[in-house]
Amino acid sequence: MPVNARDEVLRRVRAAIGPRREHVDVPRDYRRAAPDGTDVVALFAERVADYRADVRLVGWDVAAEVRRVVRDLGIRSLAVPVGFPADYLTGLEDGLDGVGVELRRDDPPLSTADLDATDAVITECAAAIAETGTLVLGAAQGRRALTLVPDRHLCVVRADRVVGAVPEVPEVPMPVTWISGPSATSDIELHRVEGVHGPRTLVVLVVTGS
Amino acid sequence: MNVWLGMPPFPEAARQALGDSQLRANLRAATATIRTKRAAVVAERDDWEQLREAGRAIKDRALRDLDTYLLQLEAQVTDAGGTVHWARDADEANRIVAGLVRAAGATEVVKVKSMATQEIGLNEALAAAGITALETDLAELIVQLGHDRPSHILVPAIHRNRAQIRELFRREMPGVDPDLTDDPVALASAARAHLRRAFLAARVAVSGANFAVAETGALVVVESEGNGRMCLTLPEVLISVVGIEKVIPTTADLAVLLQLLPRSATGERMNPYTSFWRGTTPGDGPREFHLVLLDNGRTTALADEIGRDALRCIRCSACLNVCPVYERTGGHAYGSVYPGPIGAILTPQLRGPDPVADSLPYASTLCGACFDACPVKIDIPRALVHLRGKVAHPPGERAAMRAAAWVMSRPPRFAVARLAARLGARLARLPGPWRRWTEARDLPTPGESFRDWWDARERP
């Protein structure tokens, strides 16, 4: 007689399934990619804007647009994860374009209290999904708390990271967070309203490279 | 399973609920909203039926080799620094969680909304052990502050409207702005302020999981507000209580279910936040991770060839939102943490026989709207009829249901029965124990049956 819970649960599972196990085929004839000819970057921008994210298309000068966002939103302190490209932050600390912001690098790691007292965070993404307007952040984009505790999240999305559909998302080292718009809830009368515990403002900078 | 003490069986509870016109108005408005949204995002996918069929097959495959996938999951989670516990029933799971919280030296835990922990009555068990469980999902918070019960799988406070929520917050939330309006944005902000300190100070969190991927050991939590991320990320210790039926084989399978779930649940292309983690990660998130794998009646359901379909459920609650019975009675009448059509087939199987559970397979008109809405194609009407044949009820009804199941399971039998029914209908009154039914109703007597019309119709 099995005595521990693990053996007992497994014994029950095997008894329930029985001796005959018929093969179950999984039909994979659902769409595995966005339809041919889809402009995935344009679709991504449209879909993420549907969630009431602040979407900005950027040609090549990412740093100039970051400075504009910082000024528009009145951001005074900005958390920066390890490995974030320095050239996207050009001029932020030097007061260029009349912007004065304190960059708080997550090295050594910022405490949760520090993050709570930081206006915003800026990250890249490992991938972005056009059909669903989703940002995919993995271990390489920084600790998860960085994009959670500050009230504003700025995310730089390079066009070459945008895929069409969910099954096209590449393997990303865990922990992984998918973000589709700002924090929201549908708990009151099933109407979606933005802004609960996660960042209430999501700014997405889509870098088209033109 | 967590039994709501003092709940009457469904017919009686439903009669009480139907008398509450405010409840019916709230439910009608909310379910109409979500049905419209769901229809719009489902219509966007011309491959929706293929996705559903894949979703069904993925869950069936997982259940067919459940032992293999559970062992694979256990190995992966352990390899990634997590600890896996197994629980035969609710008591065992509650004891494990309480022990882990105590070992961490905590007296308070923050919780992510989880059906499994509601099912086992974890909050009550923790309270008995001197541990306070703080629900952090907005709707769960509304339920907890109101000393109320959840009435919907996804939106547990669906029975309350914005004005009622404002009154509750003003009464029960310490330090809330007395001029709080009933604007949902203002209500959400009040919840944010109320829970912020708890999130930043929490040392132990308890969650469930929507999916567990055997291939990688990834646990997946799907949410909207960010309270889930707070709980999964900030505390030192994370305990996830997960039903054994939540395991799926591969990451490719997850991609299918993550397309089906948000569209079916909140009518969104994707929910705001989805978290994926594997054991522990140095420098990011909890330093200790415990996975509690829960049976609590699931293997009993698995042993039933029809009833086991209910284990495919991904808790989207689309079946509640389309159900004419649920829309009128609300969730409380079902007397279970799993209300609505899925609850009517899940509760009797997980909980075992009692008057409330036995009444639930009858809480349906068998209209089939739930089956059409289900993203993993659970044939709920079929399971309801099947369970009606199993639960305790008067022998006459039981015999009738068995007879109906026997007749309808084979086309030739059904053909004979159709002929007999047409002849019998001329009697206009049913004999014996069925007489009472026809006393108040006319037995419908169509000129010809649908099948006869179908066979005889002109084909283009």
Side-chain angles (χ1 to χ4, degrees), chain B residues 77-364:
Chain B
V77 170
T78 308
D79 179 58
T83 307
V84 178
H85 310 258
W86 300 70
R88 282 165 278 212
D89 54 27
D91 285 346
E92 192 163 28
N94 289 334
R95 272 200 308 277
I96 292 167
V97 177
L100 290 168
V101 177
R102 235 183 262 121
T107 55
E108 186 177 285
V109 301
V110 286
K111 276 194 71 201
V112 193
K113 174 175 156 39
S114 136
M115 294 308 296
T117 60
Q118 267 181 40
E119 174 193 318
I120 62 175
L122 178 67
N123 292 6
E124 294 79 1
L126 289 178
I131 299 160
T132 308
L134 183 62
E135 292 290 352
T136 64
D137 171 77
L138 178 53
E140 292 283 358
L141 179 69
I142 294 165
V143 168
Q144 197 174 40
L145 286 174
H147 313 288
D148 198 358
R149 287 167 174 164
S151 71
H152 189 276
I153 291 174
L154 186 74
V155 198
I158 195 170
H159 55 290
R160 296 210 186 237
N161 65 23
R162 60 184 75 187
Q164 293 169 319
I165 295 167
R166 177 191 53 180
E167 285 318 306
L168 183 64
F169 278 14
R170 287 211 290 210
R171 198 171 65 236
E172 300 280 345
M173 203 180 258
V176 79
D177 177 6
D179 296 325
L180 182 69
T181 69
D182 67 1
D183 175 12
V185 176
L187 295 171
S189 288
R192 177 185 171 99
H194 174 67
L195 287 173
R196 195 75 177 180
R197 183 206 57 80
F199 284 135
L200 300 189
R203 295 184 43 219
V204 181
V206 177
S207 83
N210 295 90
F211 307 102
V213 184
E215 178 183 55
T216 62
L219 274 284
V220 181
V221 165
V222 172
E223 53 136 351
S224 296
E225 298 168 17
N227 63 308
R229 295 181 66 198
M230 290 279 180
C231 293
L232 301 172
T233 310
L234 298 183
E236 293 157 26
V237 178
L238 172 61
I239 305 163
S240 300
V241 181
V242 179
I244 53 174
E245 85 286 15
K246 295 287 166 200
V247 67
I248 57 170
T250 67
T251 303
D253 296 336
L254 185 60
V256 172
L257 296 166
L258 284 178
Q259 295 183 84
L260 288 167
L261 178 56
R263 284 184 158 88
S264 303
T266 48
E268 294 169 299
R269 297 185 182 107
M270 193 59 73
N271 50 290
Y273 298 130
T274 305
S275 296
F276 313 68
W277 75 97
R278 180 175 183 268
T280 56
T281 306
D284 186 353
R287 54 174 173 72
E288 238 182 77
F289 172 58
H290 298 272
L291 172 61
V292 182
L293 292 171
L294 176 73
D295 179 352
N296 202 36
R298 284 158 177 77
T299 46
T300 310
L302 185 64
D304 184 322
E305 284 203 17
I306 293 173
R308 71 166 58 133
D309 288 359
L311 297 178
R312 290 206 297 264
C313 176
I314 56 173
R315 310 284 189 262
C316 72
S317 47
C319 62
L320 278 63
N321 301 329
V322 299
C323 177
V325 176
Y326 178 88
E327 187 182 329
R328 284 162 183 82
T329 66
H332 289 156
Y334 293 79
S336 163
V337 296
Y338 299 109
I342 186 63
I345 63 170
L346 208 47
T347 305
Q349 299 196 81
L350 295 186
R351 196 154 91 184
D354 71 57
V356 174
D358 288 352
S359 72
L360 291 179
Y362 292 90
S364 168

Side-chain angles (χ1 to χ4, degrees), chain A residues 45 49 51 69 97 131 141:
Chain A
Y51 300 126
V69 172
D97 296 341
E131 278 190 350
Q141 282 68 49

Side-chain angles (χ1 to χ4, degrees), chain B residues 363-406:
Chain B
S364 168
T365 64
L366 304 180
C367 78
C370 48
F371 183 23
D372 292 339
C374 179
V376 287
K377 298 178 78 166
I378 302 171
D379 189 341
I380 294 177
R382 182 175 85 136
L384 285 166
V385 171
H386 170 70
L387 290 169
R388 285 177 187 186
K390 289 182 81 178
V391 298
H393 47 67
E397 279 177 33
R398 194 159 58 225
M401 282 302 157
R402 287 225 185 96
W406 184 82

